[in-house]
């Protein structure tokens, strides 16, 4: 790699005695699964990584990114969806489009909280009010029904970029707590079945798309050739 007039690295092999200026570097990181640290353990300078056969493009939710994908040949609309486009330098290769699941999860939370009520395909009401009622109930009782839901999850605009706040809100444990309240015929939790189904669907979707631990269980296990939402 070249930086100003200095040579940082070169690409060479035992069969290629001529030192060629590297254009890319492959960095290998060790990333903690349950903490926030990451440590580089190796780096390799290279002229080019031609052996990579499955390139992908990951992006978040602005409309300009979807327009870019459409211009390149993909179609991320709900009709006639095509999640890839030909590689500009090699039409035989495909570049796969991946919407960042962490950003998408926050967008779901933001939209639902802002709209308060949305409807599913069967016109059943999905009401953010159940989240608010559960927080209030747990605060009044001084107990939490096996979930991490707190007042800060309702005041998410103070920390809109924190993924864990959105993930803890749209979690199966929250759905279980609301279902439990409904099973006890508690006032204010009637007709919450569609809401808990929505929460569980989003939770499972996020676990599937965000899975990376080969030792994970259920939806949190790493992606394999077949993984269906049941």
């Amino acid at each position: 790699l070249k930086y100003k007039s200095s040579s940082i690295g070169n690409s060479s092999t035992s069969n290629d005695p001529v030192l060629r200026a590297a254009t890319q570097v492959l960095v290998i990181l060790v990333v903690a699964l349950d903490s926030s640290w990451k440590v580089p353990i190796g780096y390799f300078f290279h002229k080019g990584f031609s052996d990579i056969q499955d390139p992908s493009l990951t992006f978040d939710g602005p409309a300009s990114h979807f327009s870019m994908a459409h211009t390149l040949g993909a179609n991320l609309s709900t009709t006639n969806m095509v999640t890839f486009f030909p590689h500009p330098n090699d039409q035989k290769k495909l570049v796969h489009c991946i919407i960042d699941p962490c950003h998408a999860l926050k967008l779901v939370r933001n939209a639902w909280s802002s709209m308060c009520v949305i409807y599913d395909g069967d016109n059943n009401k999905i009401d953010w009010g159940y989240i608010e009622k559960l927080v209030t109930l747990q605060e009044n009782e001084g107990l939490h029904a096996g979930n991490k839901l707190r007042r800060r999850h309702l005041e998410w605009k103070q920390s809109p970029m924190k993924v864990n706040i959105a993930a803890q809100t749209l979690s199966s444990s929250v759905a279980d707590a609301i279902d439990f309240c409904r099973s006890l015929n508690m006032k204010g939790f009637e007709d919450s079945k569609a809401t808990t189904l929505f929460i569980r669907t989003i939770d499972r979707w996020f676990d599937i798309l965000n899975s990376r631990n080969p030792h994970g269980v259920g939806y949190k296990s790493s992606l394999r050739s077949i993984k269906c939402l049941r």
Side-chain angles (χ1 to χ4, degrees):
L1 289 175
K2 291 286 187 179
Y3 178 72
K4 295 183 178 179
S5 60
S6 301
S7 177
I8 300 175
N10 292 287
S11 172
S12 66
T13 65
S14 58
N15 297 325
D16 182 11
V18 179
L19 294 178
R20 297 173 296 162
T23 58
Q24 299 177 11
V25 59
L26 172 64
V27 180
I28 300 177
L29 293 176
V30 175
V31 181
L33 294 177
D34 56 356
S35 186
S36 59
W37 58 265
K38 54 186 176 182
V39 178
I41 61 173
Y43 56 90
F44 304 90
F45 295 101
H46 204 277
K47 179 68 174 177
F49 297 100
S50 59
D51 293 334
I52 299 177
Q53 300 296 324
D54 295 308
S56 63
L57 179 64
T58 302
F59 50 86
D60 50 16
S64 58
H65 293 176
F66 286 78
S67 298
M68 171 197 65
H70 181 75
T71 301
L72 291 171
N75 180 15
L76 300 180
S77 66
T78 55
T79 57
N80 301 319
M81 182 176 290
V82 178
T83 60
F84 54 83
F85 58 87
H87 195 288
N89 293 331
D90 187 349
Q91 296 294 307
K92 295 181 180 180
K93 293 183 179 180
L94 299 177
V95 179
H96 298 271
C97 297
I98 301 174
I99 300 174
D100 177 30
C102 294
H103 187 82
L105 182 70
K106 290 184 290 184
L107 290 180
V108 171
R109 186 273 316 274
N110 297 356
W112 186 25
S113 173
S114 300
M115 298 175 68
C116 294
V117 175
I118 57 178
Y119 294 87
D120 63 16
D122 297 322
N123 206 36
N124 296 313
K125 185 166 66 173
I126 300 170
D127 194 345
W128 177 262
Y130 294 119
I131 301 292
E132 297 174 338
K133 292 174 184 176
L134 181 60
V135 170
T136 301
L137 175 64
Q138 293 183 150
E139 288 178 343
N140 292 339
E141 296 295 331
L143 297 171
H144 291 84
N147 60 75
K148 297 182 179 180
L149 202 62
R150 303 292 190 275
R151 178 63 54 177
R152 66 176 180 271
H153 294 83
L154 300 182
E155 300 171 351
W156 57 266
K157 291 183 179 179
Q158 297 181 8
S159 51
M161 299 305 295
K162 290 188 176 181
V163 179
N164 65 316
I165 297 295
Q168 291 166 1
T169 303
L170 297 167
S171 66
S172 293
S173 60
V174 170
D176 290 340
I178 295 174
D179 281 344
F180 180 69
C181 293
R182 187 179 67 251
S183 69
L184 296 178
N185 297 318
M186 298 184 68
K187 185 178 180 180
F189 290 92
E190 306 88 354
D191 302 322
S192 59
K193 189 173 182 179
T195 299
T196 56
L197 176 60
F198 170 77
I199 294 173
R200 284 197 177 88
T201 301
I202 297 299
D203 178 60
R204 291 177 178 178
W205 160 82
F206 181 68
D207 283 345
I208 291 171
L209 295 181
N210 200 44
S211 59
R212 60 178 179 176
N213 184 358
H215 303 293
V217 178
Y219 294 98
K220 294 185 178 181
S221 62
S222 56
L223 288 172
R224 293 176 173 82
S225 57
I226 298 177
K227 191 167 188 179
C228 300
L229 180 63
R230 298 182 184 277

